[in-house]
């Protein structure tokens, strides 16, 4: 029997796990000595052994021959990629190759450290990621407020007395853009000190644990927040406190809010004016308050405006960069805003997408336009695709169209561990190690942690497949024209030498790969740690509570927080037009998550796919009665792009006029290899997702608030 400690890479909470390994059996519990998670674990974390042992998991590369995926050697796989991908680049140019990377990229060191070099080697403008069905509006608004897309303040959960959550369900999701294990415990602690208010069309678990739940009409959060701002200015409750010298644009925000009196926005939001005023007064009165918005505020039609207004409210109530308010974490490694020296202010739209003219943001186009780029002939048409750690056939809007587009490609290669809805289209599939077979450090997520933390976790088992960074470097070599057997060690060493030179730090002898890069980044980081020190602390290193970082954290041209950037306020007329029209009638569709799901890819574990984790339509009793639907009936949901049939669950946990359907299901497609998921497939909610309903400034898909027709099947 042996014991091992591991950072769970399955969501943003970064819990420490303790593994007990006896022969073939792996038992998992929370690591009670973890400096951050202190023993907390969720059902996904405890399934990490089952994930490691899943018989459906790919352990050899696959090539599609005559429509059937067969196992091949790594050399054959890379020879095939070279033979089929390079001619496309040569004949049609680099833009003919698209790249899509998905969510787990952010949860692995390979993704965090080796993706950029690969994208550079491809040299294509057609880069897409799951970010554009997720957090990009928050990234964008932060980039213009603070100057850098990675500079996103997080609620200082452990010291706040008043938390206002909009469109987030951290008790189920375990938190996002807010790395904070044990949200249940943290929310309970806030309630002991003060108040938690949840604004959500659904009465989620988080809403149930809160002091108050406000059931807003989807897509109207920007109006609610403007109504609150209006009250704060009208009643002279605004006070920036210590942030005041570092902020410009307050007067413009005041002018903007003047048009949005609570009485004017009430009908659209479904929240009465007195409640809006009370929410504003309570926020302003709290000594330490934080407003936090997540998926429901970003993946909706006004994602950018809403994300921006969340921070505006925090700022004018004196809660920016203040203990108990929203604060900027100081990560130990790899955080752009802790690098010394002047950084260039953020810009977007340096180029636009070929078919829909959408602006690039951080070198990416919205995934909502991926199918356009594949389907539309002409110079620069995407004819080959590289996907890694992603399942756009399930996760992207108008998924049916994405699926058809991928089927029509000339060549596709996927780095993935399952043969699923997306990778079934790949000509070559390259698997990677399990979370138990690779070293891990949460380079990205610690940049959003509610406490400053560093924790390394050592691989528990040897891997039967190459480490993913090795596969990525080898693929990079192919694209650089070095052939299928490029010297991975030499390429890696060259990369490390470059990073070392830029930072003036030298890695310890004997390290290679991500460990070597991490060593350099840690040494160059604000705490001057070394990889050896972090590795030695198997329960992590606590670097303390968040500390004020203004103005040094800023990279805007003015050197101040730009509270009313034109790139954002330019979208206000669209909101005003919505407000000028009548409050929306008709039903709308939103999404939901379950504690035992992880987007589209963990339904193949029996312990997670079952019980209350069901793919059903939640509908309010009033709507169900009107439509003649009861629990267990099947409903037909129809939108502009598609139609699905799913069982109904009548519940007063959802607002009238709104139905919810979880995403990540629809596992009944042919040619996949996920037996357990396929046996209980659910339906793909993104067949209903509209690739034309976007948050306009960023092109992020509004997967929430989709007009839908509901009828008995
Ligand atoms: N309607 C609707 N759509 C949504 C959402 C929603 O709320 N509603 N949520 C959106 C959000 S927030 C996100 S982040 C996206 C997610 O969108 P995606 O990232 O496209 O989808 P995932 O389901 O996370 O797929 C992850 C893929 O990575 C693979 N994988 C897992 N571990 C590894 C590994 O170690 N190595 C490799 N190579 N592959 C691995 C899995 O097999 C799977 O194919 O979905 C978005 N889509
Ligand atoms: N168990 C589990 N955990 C996960 C994931 C998972 O799939 N399963 N996915 C991970 C990923 S990739 C992410 S990005 C995070 C997401 O983390 P969260 O954002 O915390 O999770 P969601 O459940 O998407 O919460 C969005 C909430 O917004 C509400 N909502 C929808 N439309 C609106 C609106 O217009 N206004 C308001 N105010 N609310 C609205 C929904 O009802 C829902 O409760 O979770 C992560 N953690
Ligand atoms: S909350 Fe997230 S990090 Fe923690 S055990 Fe669950 S999946 Fe893993
Ligand atoms: Mo996400």
């Amino acid at each position: 029997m042996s014991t091992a400690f591991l950072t769970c890479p399955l969501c943003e909470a970064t819990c420490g796990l303790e593994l007990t390994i006896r022969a073939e059996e792996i038992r998992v519990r929370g690591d009670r000595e973890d400096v951050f998670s202190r023993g907390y674990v969720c059902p996904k974390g405890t399934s990490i052994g089952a994930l490691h042992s899943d018989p459906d998991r790919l352990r050899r590369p696959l090539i599609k021959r005559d429509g059937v995926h067969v196992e091949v050697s790594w050399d054959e796989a890379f020879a095939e990629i070279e033979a089929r991908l390079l001619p496309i680049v040569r004949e049609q140019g680099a833009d003919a190759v698209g790249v899509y990377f998905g969510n787990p990229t952010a949860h692995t060191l390979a993704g965090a450290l080796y993706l950029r070099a690969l994208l550079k080697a491809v040299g294509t403008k057609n880069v897409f990621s799951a970010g554009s069905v997720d957090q990009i509006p928050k990234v964008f608004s932060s980039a213009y407020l603070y100057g850098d897309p990675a500079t996103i303040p997080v609620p200082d959960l452990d010291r706040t007395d008043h938390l206002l959550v909009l469109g987030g369900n951290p008790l189920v999701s375990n938190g996002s853009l807010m790395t904070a294990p044990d949200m249940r415990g943290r929310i309970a602690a806030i309630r002991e000190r003060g108040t938690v208010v949840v604004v959500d069309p659904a009465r989620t678990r988080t809403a149930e644990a809160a002091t108050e739940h406000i059931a807003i009409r989807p897509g109207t959060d920007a109006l609610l927040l403007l109504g609150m701002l209006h009250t704060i200015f009208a009643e002279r409750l605004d006070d920036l406190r210590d942030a005041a010298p570092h902020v410009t644009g307050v007067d413009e925000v005041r002018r903007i809010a003047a048009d949005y009196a609570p009485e004017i926005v009430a009908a659209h939001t479904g929240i009465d004016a007195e409640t809006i005023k009370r929410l504003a007064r309570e926020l302003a009165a709290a000594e330490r308050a934080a407003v936090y918005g997540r998926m429901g505020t970003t993946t909706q039609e006004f994602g950018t405006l809403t994300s921006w207004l969340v921070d505006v409210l925090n700022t004018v109530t004196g809660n920016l960069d203040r203990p108990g308010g929203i604060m900027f974490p100081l990560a130990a490694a790899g955080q752009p805003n802790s690098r010394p020296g002047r950084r260039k202010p953020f810009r977007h739209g340096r180029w636009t997408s070929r078919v829909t003219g959408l602006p690039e943001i951080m070198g990416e186009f919205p995934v909502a336009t991926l199918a356009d780029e594949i389907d539309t002939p002409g110079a620069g048409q995407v004819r080959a695709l590289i996907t890694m750690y992603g399942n756009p056939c399930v996760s992207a809007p108008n998924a049916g169209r994405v699926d058809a587009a991928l089927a029509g490609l000339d060549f596709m290669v996927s780095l993935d561990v399952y043969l699923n809805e997306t990778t079934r289209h790949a000509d070559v599939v390259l698997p990677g190690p399990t979370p138990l077979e690779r070293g891990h450090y949460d380079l990205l997520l610690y940049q959003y942690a509610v406490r400053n933390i560093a924790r390394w976790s050592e691989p528990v088992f040897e891997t039967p497949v190459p480490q993913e960074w090795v596969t990525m470097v080898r693929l990079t070599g192919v694209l650089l024209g070095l052939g299928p057997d490029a010297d991975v060690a030499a390429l890696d060493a060259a990369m490390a030498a470059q990073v070392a030179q830029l930072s003036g730090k030298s890695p310890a002898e004997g390290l290679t790969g991500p460990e070597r890069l991490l060593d350099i980044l840690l040494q160059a980081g604000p705490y001057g740690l070394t990889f050896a020190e972090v590795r030695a602390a198997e329960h992590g290193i606590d670097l303390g509570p968040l500390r004020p970082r203004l103005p040094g954290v800023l990279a805007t041209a003015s050197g101040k927080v730009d509270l009313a950037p034109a790139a954002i306020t330019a979208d206000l007329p669209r909101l005003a037009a919505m407000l000028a029209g009548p409050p929306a009638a008709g039903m709308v569709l939103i999404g939901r998550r379950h504690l035992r799901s992880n987007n589209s890819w963990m339904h193949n574990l029996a312990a997670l796919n079952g019980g209350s984790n069901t793919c059903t339509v939640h509908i309010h009793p009033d709507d169900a009665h009107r439509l003649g639907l009861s629990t267990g009936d099947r409903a037909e949901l129809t939108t502009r792009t598609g139609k699905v049939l799913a069982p109904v669950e009548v519940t007063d946990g959802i607002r009238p006029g709104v139905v919810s359907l979880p995403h990540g299901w629809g596992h009944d497609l042919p040619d996949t290899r996920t037996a357990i998921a396929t046996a209980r497939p659910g339906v793909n909610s993104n067949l209903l997702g509209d690739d034309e309903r976007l948050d306009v400034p960023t092109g992020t898909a509004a997967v929430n608030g989709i007009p839908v027709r509901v009828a008995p099947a």
Side-chain angles (χ1 to χ4, degrees), residues 103-145:
N103 171 275
T105 317
H107 298 262
T108 64
L109 272 179
L113 293 169
Y114 291 87
L115 175 66
R116 291 294 143 195
L118 175 56
L119 292 178
K120 206 169 153 211
V122 183
T124 178
K125 289 212 251 332
N126 287 311
V127 179
F128 307 84
S129 84
S132 52
V133 247
D134 188 351
Q135 79 286 6
I136 293 292
K138 189 72 195 175
V139 170
F140 184 90
S141 75
S142 304
Y144 279 106
L145 284 163

Side-chain angles (χ1 to χ4, degrees), residues 44 134 167 169 173 199-200 218-219 221 294-295 593-594 597 599:
K44 280 184 292 177
D134 188 351
N169 186 11
S173 67
V199 176
D200 196 305
D221 300 77
R294 203 44 203 97
M295 274 294 282
R593 284 178 158 76
H594 190 279
S597 71
N599 296 326

Side-chain angles (χ1 to χ4, degrees), residues 392-446:
C393 288
V394 177
S395 57
N398 203 349
R401 185 177 171 208
V402 174
D403 187 67
L406 265 49
L409 287 164
D410 293 333
F411 184 67
M412 176 168 153
V413 52
S414 292
L415 273 66
D416 208 287
V417 293
Y418 284 111
L419 197 59
N420 63 17
E421 299 76 18
T422 294
T423 59
R424 72 195 182 108
H425 294 299
D427 297 286
V428 180
V429 186
L430 304 172
T434 76
L436 272 52
E437 295 164 346
R438 61 183 186 228
H440 186 55
Y441 180 94
D442 271 300
L443 207 53
L444 253 64
L445 302 178
Y446 291 150

Side-chain angles (χ1 to χ4, degrees), residues 660-676:
S660 80
L661 186 65
H663 78 290
W665 296 86
H667 306 300
D668 49 358
L669 299 177
D671 309 322
T672 60
R673 239 177 253 175
T674 51
I676 292 173

Side-chain angles (χ1 to χ4, degrees), residues 59 93 121 327 471 508 568 602:
R59 287 175 176 82
M327 301 191 80
T471 300
I568 296 172
M602 288 185 73

